[in-house]
Short mmCIF file of all heavy atoms in Angstrom, two decimals:
data_model
loop_
_atom_site.label_atom_id
_atom_site.label_comp_id
_atom_site.label_asym_id
_atom_site.label_seq_id
_atom_site.Cartn_x
_atom_site.Cartn_y
_atom_site.Cartn_z
N MET V 1 -37.20 -14.79 -126.38
CA MET V 1 -36.63 -13.50 -126.04
C MET V 1 -37.20 -12.93 -124.73
O MET V 1 -36.46 -12.36 -123.93
CB MET V 1 -36.84 -12.49 -127.16
CG MET V 1 -36.24 -11.13 -126.85
SD MET V 1 -36.44 -9.95 -128.17
CE MET V 1 -35.15 -10.48 -129.26
N ALA V 2 -38.49 -13.10 -124.52
CA ALA V 2 -39.12 -12.55 -123.33
C ALA V 2 -38.53 -13.12 -122.04
O ALA V 2 -38.60 -12.48 -120.99
CB ALA V 2 -40.63 -12.79 -123.37
N GLU V 3 -37.94 -14.31 -122.09
CA GLU V 3 -37.31 -14.90 -120.91
C GLU V 3 -36.04 -14.15 -120.50
O GLU V 3 -35.66 -14.14 -119.35
CB GLU V 3 -36.95 -16.37 -121.18
CG GLU V 3 -38.12 -17.30 -121.17
CD GLU V 3 -38.58 -17.67 -119.77
OE1 GLU V 3 -37.75 -17.77 -118.85
OE2 GLU V 3 -39.79 -17.86 -119.60
N ALA V 4 -35.37 -13.55 -121.47
CA ALA V 4 -34.08 -12.92 -121.22
C ALA V 4 -34.09 -11.41 -121.37
O ALA V 4 -33.28 -10.71 -120.75
CB ALA V 4 -33.04 -13.51 -122.16
N ALA V 5 -34.96 -10.89 -122.21
CA ALA V 5 -34.98 -9.45 -122.49
C ALA V 5 -36.42 -8.95 -122.56
O ALA V 5 -36.73 -8.03 -123.31
CB ALA V 5 -34.26 -9.17 -123.81
N GLY V 6 -37.29 -9.54 -121.77
CA GLY V 6 -38.70 -9.22 -121.84
C GLY V 6 -39.11 -7.98 -121.07
O GLY V 6 -38.52 -7.64 -120.05
N LEU V 7 -40.13 -7.35 -121.56
CA LEU V 7 -40.66 -6.14 -120.93
C LEU V 7 -41.09 -6.40 -119.50
O LEU V 7 -40.88 -5.56 -118.62
CB LEU V 7 -41.83 -5.60 -121.75
CG LEU V 7 -42.38 -4.25 -121.33
CD1 LEU V 7 -41.31 -3.16 -121.41
CD2 LEU V 7 -43.58 -3.87 -122.21
N LEU V 8 -41.66 -7.57 -119.22
CA LEU V 8 -42.12 -7.87 -117.87
C LEU V 8 -40.98 -8.05 -116.88
O LEU V 8 -41.21 -8.03 -115.66
CB LEU V 8 -43.02 -9.10 -117.88
CG LEU V 8 -44.32 -8.94 -118.66
CD1 LEU V 8 -45.12 -10.24 -118.64
CD2 LEU V 8 -45.15 -7.79 -118.13
N LEU V 9 -39.75 -8.20 -117.35
CA LEU V 9 -38.59 -8.31 -116.47
C LEU V 9 -38.07 -6.95 -116.02
O LEU V 9 -37.23 -6.87 -115.13
CB LEU V 9 -37.46 -9.06 -117.18
CG LEU V 9 -37.72 -10.50 -117.58
CD1 LEU V 9 -36.56 -11.03 -118.40
CD2 LEU V 9 -37.98 -11.36 -116.36
N VAL V 10 -38.54 -5.89 -116.67
CA VAL V 10 -38.03 -4.55 -116.40
C VAL V 10 -39.03 -3.78 -115.55
O VAL V 10 -40.17 -3.58 -115.98
CB VAL V 10 -37.77 -3.79 -117.73
CG1 VAL V 10 -37.14 -2.43 -117.44
CG2 VAL V 10 -36.89 -4.61 -118.66
N PRO V 11 -38.62 -3.34 -114.37
CA PRO V 11 -39.53 -2.53 -113.56
C PRO V 11 -39.95 -1.28 -114.33
O PRO V 11 -39.16 -0.73 -115.11
CB PRO V 11 -38.69 -2.15 -112.33
CG PRO V 11 -37.56 -3.13 -112.31
CD PRO V 11 -37.32 -3.53 -113.74
N PRO V 12 -41.20 -0.83 -114.15
CA PRO V 12 -41.69 0.33 -114.92
C PRO V 12 -40.77 1.55 -114.87
O PRO V 12 -40.60 2.23 -115.87
CB PRO V 12 -43.05 0.62 -114.28
CG PRO V 12 -43.51 -0.71 -113.78
CD PRO V 12 -42.25 -1.41 -113.30
N ASP V 13 -40.12 1.80 -113.74
CA ASP V 13 -39.25 2.98 -113.63
C ASP V 13 -37.91 2.81 -114.34
O ASP V 13 -37.13 3.75 -114.43
CB ASP V 13 -39.03 3.35 -112.17
CG ASP V 13 -38.30 2.28 -111.37
OD1 ASP V 13 -38.48 1.08 -111.68
OD2 ASP V 13 -37.55 2.65 -110.44
N ARG V 14 -37.64 1.60 -114.87
CA ARG V 14 -36.37 1.35 -115.59
C ARG V 14 -36.61 1.04 -117.06
O ARG V 14 -35.70 0.61 -117.76
CB ARG V 14 -35.62 0.21 -114.94
CG ARG V 14 -35.19 0.58 -113.51
CD ARG V 14 -34.30 -0.44 -112.90
NE ARG V 14 -33.02 -0.46 -113.60
CZ ARG V 14 -32.15 -1.44 -113.49
NH1 ARG V 14 -32.40 -2.47 -112.73
NH2 ARG V 14 -31.02 -1.42 -114.15
N ARG V 15 -37.80 1.26 -117.56
CA ARG V 15 -38.14 0.94 -118.95
C ARG V 15 -37.67 2.04 -119.89
O ARG V 15 -38.42 2.90 -120.31
CB ARG V 15 -39.64 0.70 -119.09
CG ARG V 15 -40.06 -0.58 -118.42
CD ARG V 15 -41.52 -0.88 -118.59
NE ARG V 15 -41.83 -2.13 -117.90
CZ ARG V 15 -43.04 -2.57 -117.68
NH1 ARG V 15 -44.08 -1.87 -118.10
NH2 ARG V 15 -43.22 -3.69 -117.05
N ASP V 16 -36.40 1.99 -120.19
CA ASP V 16 -35.78 2.96 -121.09
C ASP V 16 -35.12 2.17 -122.23
O ASP V 16 -34.05 1.58 -122.04
CB ASP V 16 -34.74 3.79 -120.35
CG ASP V 16 -34.12 4.87 -121.22
OD1 ASP V 16 -34.30 4.84 -122.46
OD2 ASP V 16 -33.45 5.75 -120.65
N PRO V 17 -35.75 2.14 -123.41
CA PRO V 17 -35.20 1.32 -124.50
C PRO V 17 -33.82 1.76 -124.97
O PRO V 17 -33.16 1.01 -125.69
CB PRO V 17 -36.24 1.46 -125.60
CG PRO V 17 -36.98 2.70 -125.29
CD PRO V 17 -36.94 2.85 -123.80
N LYS V 18 -33.36 2.92 -124.56
CA LYS V 18 -32.00 3.33 -124.91
C LYS V 18 -30.97 2.60 -124.05
O LYS V 18 -29.80 2.54 -124.40
CB LYS V 18 -31.84 4.85 -124.76
CG LYS V 18 -32.70 5.66 -125.72
CD LYS V 18 -32.47 7.15 -125.60
CE LYS V 18 -32.74 7.73 -124.25
NZ LYS V 18 -34.08 7.72 -123.73
N LEU V 19 -31.43 2.06 -122.93
CA LEU V 19 -30.51 1.40 -122.00
C LEU V 19 -30.66 -0.11 -121.94
O LEU V 19 -29.74 -0.80 -121.52
CB LEU V 19 -30.72 1.98 -120.59
CG LEU V 19 -30.54 3.49 -120.45
CD1 LEU V 19 -30.84 3.93 -119.03
CD2 LEU V 19 -29.14 3.91 -120.86
N THR V 20 -31.82 -0.65 -122.34
CA THR V 20 -32.01 -2.09 -122.26
C THR V 20 -31.30 -2.79 -123.42
O THR V 20 -31.01 -2.18 -124.44
CB THR V 20 -33.52 -2.44 -122.27
OG1 THR V 20 -34.12 -1.85 -123.43
CG2 THR V 20 -34.20 -1.94 -121.02
N THR V 21 -31.02 -4.06 -123.24
CA THR V 21 -30.20 -4.79 -124.20
C THR V 21 -30.68 -6.22 -124.40
O THR V 21 -31.30 -6.79 -123.50
CB THR V 21 -28.72 -4.79 -123.76
OG1 THR V 21 -27.96 -5.60 -124.65
CG2 THR V 21 -28.53 -5.30 -122.35
N THR V 22 -30.36 -6.79 -125.54
CA THR V 22 -30.67 -8.18 -125.84
C THR V 22 -29.54 -9.13 -125.43
O THR V 22 -29.52 -10.29 -125.84
CB THR V 22 -30.96 -8.36 -127.34
OG1 THR V 22 -29.86 -7.86 -128.09
CG2 THR V 22 -32.24 -7.66 -127.76
N ARG V 23 -28.62 -8.68 -124.61
CA ARG V 23 -27.46 -9.49 -124.21
C ARG V 23 -27.87 -10.86 -123.66
O ARG V 23 -27.26 -11.87 -123.98
CB ARG V 23 -26.60 -8.74 -123.20
CG ARG V 23 -25.39 -9.54 -122.80
CD ARG V 23 -24.41 -8.77 -121.95
NE ARG V 23 -23.20 -9.54 -121.80
CZ ARG V 23 -22.20 -9.55 -122.64
NH1 ARG V 23 -22.25 -8.79 -123.71
NH2 ARG V 23 -21.14 -10.30 -122.44
N GLY V 24 -28.89 -10.89 -122.83
CA GLY V 24 -29.33 -12.17 -122.25
C GLY V 24 -29.76 -13.17 -123.29
O GLY V 24 -29.57 -14.38 -123.13
N VAL V 25 -30.33 -12.71 -124.39
CA VAL V 25 -30.71 -13.61 -125.49
C VAL V 25 -29.46 -14.25 -126.08
O VAL V 25 -29.42 -15.45 -126.33
CB VAL V 25 -31.52 -12.86 -126.57
CG1 VAL V 25 -31.89 -13.79 -127.71
CG2 VAL V 25 -32.76 -12.21 -125.97
N GLY V 26 -28.43 -13.46 -126.27
CA GLY V 26 -27.16 -13.99 -126.76
C GLY V 26 -26.54 -14.98 -125.79
O GLY V 26 -25.94 -15.99 -126.20
N GLU V 27 -26.70 -14.71 -124.49
CA GLU V 27 -26.18 -15.64 -123.49
C GLU V 27 -26.91 -16.98 -123.58
O GLU V 27 -26.29 -18.04 -123.47
CB GLU V 27 -26.30 -15.05 -122.09
CG GLU V 27 -25.36 -13.87 -121.86
CD GLU V 27 -25.51 -13.23 -120.49
OE1 GLU V 27 -26.25 -13.78 -119.63
OE2 GLU V 27 -24.92 -12.17 -120.27
#
């Protein structure tokens, strides 16, 4: 999961769990 929806992929100023998604894991 961290490869597609990992916290380290999200810049600190965009870390809003209401907006992030697991879509990449499904891909």
Side-chain angles (χ1 to χ4, degrees):
M1 181 179 281
E3 285 281 326
L7 187 59
L8 296 178
L9 297 174
V10 184
D13 63 328
R14 295 188 67 195
R15 291 182 180 169
D16 183 348
K18 295 183 301 295
L19 302 177
T20 55
T21 175
T22 55
R23 181 172 189 86
V25 179
E27 291 178 8

